[in-house]
Amino acid sequence: MEPTYDFLHIYEGEDSNSPIIGSFQGSQAPERIESSGNSLFLAFQSDASVGFSGFNTEFKGTTVPALLNSTSNQLYLHFQSDISVAAAGFHLEYKTTCGGTLSSLGCMILSPGFPGSYPNNLDCTWKISLPVGYGAHIQFLNFSTEANHDYLEIQNGPYHTSPMIGQFSGTDLPSALLSTMHEALIHFYGDHSQNRQGFKLAYQDKDSDMYMCFDV
């Protein structure tokens, strides 16, 4: 991890309000951590600059590990066993999450699963929050949803009740949009059938010429 900018925090409990028992950065592997309870919460935070290989963790024991939240669109799972005692192993499930608040002056937003198909019954909301006096220029790079059933809506403001400046469905690539406020809301929702590729869009401050982060 990038020193000073990327962090892994480990909490003794079910969320980030629990006592923290480890905070790590840099390239030195931490020592083994033992939990006194049956729940751990891991939070990984990184900035938009230098990328490193990240981290790999192992859980040992018979208690169910705590819920893990990934900040990327990829996870690598490695299971290792020896030749001695056999056990039942494990069963895990995952689900995609989407949305959040974006405060960088430029960023890329992707629908869940892009460039593959998005899942059923999506309801995702991203809020663009720029400094006061700024405006967001929004440009679509890819767009494909189930026509008249799955929609992308953009509000000129931070609320679902703010004035709508765009509502899109189908396969036509929307034209670029400009939010006149420093906050904008992007709402993507779909039904239970006929998933498509979704969308890829980029926003940037109207006076900027580069993107500074990726939402993946």
Side-chain angles (χ1 to χ4, degrees):
M1 291 181 284
E2 184 182 11
T4 310
Y5 296 98
D6 301 343
F7 301 90
L8 174 65
H9 304 300
I10 301 179
Y11 300 85
E12 177 79 65
E14 296 183 352
D15 54 40
S16 59
N17 296 318
S18 305
I20 189 168
I21 58 174
S23 183
F24 310 104
Q25 59 176 300
S27 58
Q28 183 175 354
E31 297 180 357
R32 184 177 68 179
I33 293 178
E34 295 186 1
S35 170
S36 59
N38 63 353
S39 295
L40 284 175
F41 182 86
L42 280 69
F44 178 57
Q45 176 182 347
S46 65
D47 65 355
S49 59
V50 181
F52 284 77
S53 59
F55 67 95
N56 177 43
T57 62
E58 292 183 353
F59 298 96
K60 295 183 179 181
T62 57
T63 57
V64 177
L67 175 70
L68 298 177
N69 292 306
S70 170
T71 57
S72 176
N73 67 341
Q74 293 182 331
L75 281 176
Y76 173 74
L77 277 69
H78 175 70
F79 178 63
Q80 179 178 344
S81 65
D82 60 16
I83 61 174
S84 58
V85 179
F90 66 92
H91 170 79
L92 64 83
E93 297 180 353
Y94 79 93
K95 64 178 182 178
T96 57
T97 59
C98 57
T101 299
L102 304 170
S103 56
S104 298
L105 293 183
C107 204
M108 200 83 71
I109 301 177
L110 314 176
S111 56
F114 187 91
S117 298
Y118 50 81
N120 291 328
N121 301 312
L122 273 182
D123 192 349
C124 310
T125 300
W126 293 265
K127 184 172 80 169
I128 299 173
S129 183
L130 302 177
V132 175
Y134 285 66
H137 179 265
I138 300 170
Q139 182 177 3
F140 290 88
L141 306 177
N142 299 87
F143 192 85
S144 179
T145 71
E146 183 188 3
N148 302 316
H149 292 277
D150 302 342
Y151 288 90
L152 180 71
E153 297 177 345
I154 300 179
Q155 262 80 22
N156 189 29
Y159 308 112
H160 290 282
T161 56
S162 299
M164 184 181 296
I165 57 176
Q167 183 185 64
F168 310 105
S169 182
T171 57
D172 292 337
L173 189 68
S175 300
L177 298 174
L178 177 63
S179 170
T180 57
M181 298 185 63
H182 69 283
E183 292 180 310
L185 203 69
I186 298 174
H187 184 204
F188 181 52
Y189 58 95
D191 64 7
H192 60 279
S193 65
Q194 297 191 31
N195 303 337
R196 303 292 173 85
Q197 187 180 52
F199 68 90
K200 176 181 181 181
L201 66 82
Y203 82 84
Q204 64 186 42
D205 163 48
K206 58 184 176 59
D207 296 322
S208 177
D209 60 357
M210 63 180 297
Y211 305 117
M212 301 172 61
C213 79
F214 290 85
D215 178 73
V216 288

